[in-house]
Amino acid sequence: MLIQSIHSCAIKFQEVAASVVHVLMEFLGEPHVSSAVDVISFVREVMEKFPHLRSSIVSRLIETFPDMKTGRVFRGALWIIGEYALSTELIEESLKQIRVAIGEIPILQAEQNAAAADEEGVSSGVESDEKIESNGIDKKAAPRRVLADGTYASESAFSNQSTTKSKKIDAKEKPTLRSLLLNADYFLGAVLATALTKLVLRYGEISTKASKTNQLRAEVMLILTSIIRVGKSEFSSSPIDEDSNDRISVCLRILSSVPGEKVLKEVFVEECRNAYAQIVEAEEKKREQKSKKDKKVVKIQVDDAISFRYLKSKKAIGGDSDEYELDLTRATGANDRSDDYISKLSKVVQLTGFSDPVYAEAYVNVHQYDILLDVLIVNQTSDTLQNLNLEFSTLGDLKLVERPTPYTIGPHGFHGIKANIKVSSTETGVIFGTIVYEGTSALDMNVVILNDIHIDIMDYINPASCTETQFRTMWTEFEWENKVNVNTNITDLRDYLNHILKSTNMNCLTPEHALSGECGFLAANMYARSIFGEDALANICLEKIGENITGHIRIRSKTQGIALSLGDKITLSQKKAFKAIVAAA
């Protein structure tokens, strides 16, 4: 939180950014991943917004490169160096530090030589032990061990010694970047390949030394080839994935065909930074819009008269709008737009049939943590209904506050009953119940089963926004996931995305420029928060094949209920969209 606060302050006040960024860069070597990642994201934004600080920050970043410990920090630092090392001196120094962090190359050959040397050391140690035994020199007696069943066992000195040597071999220090690559962090390897390619391409544009450029290109191609080879060998903890292999192969292709691949060269050197500049610009617009919304508006001027309710006459109270009454209506929800007659009719739920002896319908008023049921009961018989009880039960995180009292309704009479239900979490709840009444005699008991009332989860979910880092952190932490397959007749990708956003009350976090343009694919992140503080994340991946849209929507949350409820809502909205399209046709 402290680093994020410093980040926001430094972006607002340009004069302190230069002093703050160098201090925060000392935290790049911290073992805590979250703090180091926050620092590297702050450095990346400062590099884009303040061009006059780029050379000093890149130099400082190169100095702290050996102190980094995590793959995420390495990836951010490599991207910054690849984009903002703009002079020949910085490029040469960057390549030198990266070369030191990788260690001896080719990586596979170096690891094979190290393994062979370690095996020779172990075998020579065994031979020396045999010579000592042949000369009659007693070694230290092996200790006796007590096993789990109570028997004794002896441990040989040879196994003890070889275990110690293997530990020494495993504890052999390697550069951090090399260790991460050998531990199968090939996403880092792909980022490294991209950064090295950018540096070499930019060096070839600004340098006049063709021999030096060819030397750096050959060295980088050797590094990329060694990453692919070690990923396919037994020295890696797991084989290299296809995506990383393809990305590194593309970098090798560009380096080997320069200056033939002009389009790819332009993408690597210019378009990547332009894309990030658009992201920063979009975030700045979001901040400005949020600040305009949060800006306080003066509602009452200094010289306005103060209205005291109890000092006013009845005429004044009746003629003018009273602030106290307005506040009271706002607090009770009586002034909501949903209280007009059209909205009330849309929220009326029929509980019984028209042919039942007792007709009942309910108006469902959802007001944050409370659900108010206003039930109208009509006696459709010519008899008096005595001890009429309206009994409700709930399913989900709903709780009936008080049970309605019994009533007596005359022939063809009606009565209104109100019931209050508390809500404790964002989950699709169900209210079901019965009407029990006595007929002409006390022994004549009648029961009418009511239709279920389903509480819509959308009444508790509001659109919200968060940063990309916060979204990724929550996506990793949340354990409940619900995957919904896309099944719709909507033919346009953006129309389908807008339909899902409208149906789920979620906010699209992906910037507009990332969604613009005509393409057969669409991927976006969505985020919403409930009134209870529960977070709901969603990722939508769409592909257009012909005139049909395929793909899936993944929903993640901390609780199971909100993930399942949002999934059901999306599935239902897809069916409604299908019916609307069929009706229009």
Side-chain angles (χ1 to χ4, degrees), residues 372-584:
L372 180 63
L373 298 179
D374 191 354
V375 184
L376 173 65
I377 298 178
V378 180
N379 182 7
Q380 300 191 114
T381 65
S382 57
D383 301 326
T384 301
L385 306 181
Q386 299 179 354
N387 292 330
L388 185 142
N389 289 295
L390 181 61
E391 298 179 354
F392 282 119
S393 298
T394 59
L395 180 64
D397 290 337
L398 305 176
K399 183 180 179 182
L400 186 65
V401 177
E402 55 183 358
R403 193 174 300 276
T405 58
Y407 297 93
T408 299
I409 303 178
H412 303 287
F414 60 90
H415 191 76
I417 301 175
K418 293 186 178 182
N420 193 11
I421 296 175
K422 290 288 184 182
V423 185
S424 58
S425 70
T426 309
E427 187 175 347
T428 300
V430 181
I431 304 172
F432 52 93
T434 57
I435 295 177
V436 182
Y437 62 91
E438 297 178 0
T440 54
S441 64
L443 299 177
D444 187 11
M445 297 294 296
N446 298 279
V447 179
V448 178
I449 307 298
L450 304 180
N451 290 332
D452 298 340
I453 302 175
H454 294 268
I455 305 302
D456 193 0
I457 188 178
M458 294 301 104
D459 294 325
Y460 307 105
I461 289 183
N462 298 315
S465 60
C466 65
T467 62
E468 181 182 357
T469 305
Q470 292 173 344
F471 184 89
R472 291 179 182 273
T473 303
M474 289 188 289
W475 187 269
T476 306
E477 293 176 353
F478 291 173
E479 54 185 2
W480 291 104
E481 179 175 317
N482 187 12
K483 185 176 180 180
V484 181
N485 293 323
V486 175
N487 182 18
T488 181
N489 271 26
I490 300 177
T491 57
D492 187 72
L493 297 176
R494 290 298 300 273
D495 290 344
Y496 182 78
L497 174 62
N498 295 331
H499 173 70
I500 293 298
L501 292 174
K502 183 179 178 181
S503 303
T504 58
N505 282 351
M506 302 190 81
N507 180 33
C508 183
L509 300 179
T510 305
E512 181 65 26
H513 66 84
L515 300 174
S516 61
E518 294 295 331
C519 181
F521 301 91
L522 188 145
N525 294 329
M526 301 180 292
Y527 176 62
R529 180 176 294 170
S530 69
I531 61 174
F532 305 99
E534 299 169 325
D535 298 309
L537 312 176
N539 174 262
I540 181 170
C541 296
L542 305 175
E543 180 182 1
K544 188 173 182 180
I545 302 176
E547 293 297 326
N548 298 324
I549 294 177
T550 61
H552 59 269
I553 303 172
R554 296 168 62 190
I555 306 163
R556 285 197 182 185
S557 64
K558 191 173 289 186
T559 58
Q560 183 183 15
I562 190 171
L564 295 177
S565 301
L566 271 177
D568 296 339
K569 183 67 178 179
I570 291 174
T571 304
L572 185 62
S573 67
Q574 290 186 136
K575 293 180 180 178
K576 287 183 178 179
F578 174 76
K579 292 179 181 178
I581 292 174
V582 172

Side-chain angles (χ1 to χ4, degrees), residues 324-349:
Y324 177 78
E325 293 293 338
L326 291 176
D327 292 340
L328 188 61
T329 54
R330 290 193 196 102
T332 56
N335 199 29
D336 291 344
R337 289 180 298 175
S338 59
D339 283 344
D340 53 25
Y341 292 107
I342 298 176
S343 299
K344 281 187 175 181
L345 289 176
S346 64
K347 293 188 177 182
V348 172
V349 180

